[in-house]
Amino acid sequence: MRRLARRLLDSGPVVVLAAIAGAGSFTHIHDTATEHGQDGWMAWAVAVCVDLTCVMAARERQRDAATGRQRSGPVSWPALVLAGGVVLSLAANLHQAEASVWGWLVAATPAGAFLIAVSMLERRATASRPAPVPATVTASAAPVPAPPMPELTPVDADAPGSAAGLPPALVTFARRVADEHHATHGAPITAETLRARLGVSDQLAADLLRTLHAVPETA
């Protein structure tokens, strides 16, 4: 309940401002259309088209920002449509104004206030959404599953041992892991990576790496 009240207090003034400014701009567009041959319902239709086009373009800009859609040119199509609608509204407001500086400023106020209110609502709607997390992962950064490890007794896996006393099956398995790592990343495997892949102690991983460097692979 408190959150709803806070949201109403936060967005209410901006919504009211947008409604009042839109109504003022709507009236000026209607009167301008009437003076230039658009009688009856056509004058209202012209005013509705201009104002709703601005609202629709602003909402489309919000969707583009929320979905991360990239524009194809320097200016997106919704932004261009919004600018055109505001220019039409401003032109109608100035047409209805008194021919003086203050008359033009006062008449341009609804269109300017409407544009500011729409930009504020757009800014808040965009800022309330978290930034999208990139879903693509490069092939080199993707973890490569290790091949199944051969059966080893607890003594073989935990005892540090010397290079000469390592089980041949474990050496063979370590060589497979090292070869796959080199083929995937283009660099020799390190003792730390070998320890993490095999799940052995630091000393045993170091012994295995020394053995792999000392004993060449047999055909």
Side-chain angles (χ1 to χ4, degrees):
M1 188 65 181
R2 291 182 179 179
R3 182 178 300 178
L4 178 60
R6 186 182 305 171
R7 184 175 300 176
L8 291 176
L9 290 175
D10 189 36
S11 300
V14 182
V15 175
V16 172
L17 174 62
I20 295 175
S25 177
F26 182 88
T27 302
H28 286 162
I29 297 173
H30 171 270
D31 294 345
T32 301
T34 302
E35 293 176 3
H36 291 79
Q38 302 300 318
D39 299 328
W41 69 271
M42 279 301 301
W44 297 104
V46 170
V48 169
C49 287
V50 173
D51 282 347
L52 285 188
T53 297
C54 293
V55 175
M56 179 183 62
R59 289 293 299 165
E60 196 66 22
R61 280 169 53 87
Q62 292 178 14
R63 292 190 185 94
D64 289 351
T67 58
R69 183 174 182 176
Q70 301 294 329
R71 59 175 181 260
S72 57
V75 181
S76 66
W77 173 242
L80 187 61
V81 172
L82 179 60
V86 171
V87 169
L88 285 176
S89 177
L90 183 60
N93 292 348
L94 294 178
H95 178 73
Q96 296 296 322
E98 177 185 293
S100 65
V101 175
W102 277 110
W104 293 327
L105 290 176
V106 172
T109 298
F114 180 75
L115 179 61
I116 292 173
V118 168
S119 65
M120 290 294 182
L121 292 174
E122 178 181 321
R123 180 175 179 271
R124 293 182 181 185
T126 304
S128 63
R129 297 182 176 90
V133 179
T136 57
V137 180
T138 59
S140 60
V144 179
M149 188 171 180
E151 295 291 336
L152 296 175
T153 62
V155 176
D156 292 331
D158 296 333
S162 62
L166 294 174
L170 181 58
V171 175
T172 302
F173 179 71
R175 187 180 299 280
R176 288 176 56 193
V177 172
D179 291 344
E180 289 184 2
H181 181 276
H182 190 277
T184 302
H185 300 281
I189 195 170
T190 62
E192 181 179 358
T193 303
L194 187 62
R195 178 194 61 79
R197 297 289 298 275
L198 299 182
V200 297
S201 64
D202 293 336
Q203 181 62 46
L204 185 52
D207 291 341
L208 285 169
L209 194 59
R210 283 195 297 269
T211 301
L212 296 180
H213 291 164
V215 181
E217 182 178 2
T218 57

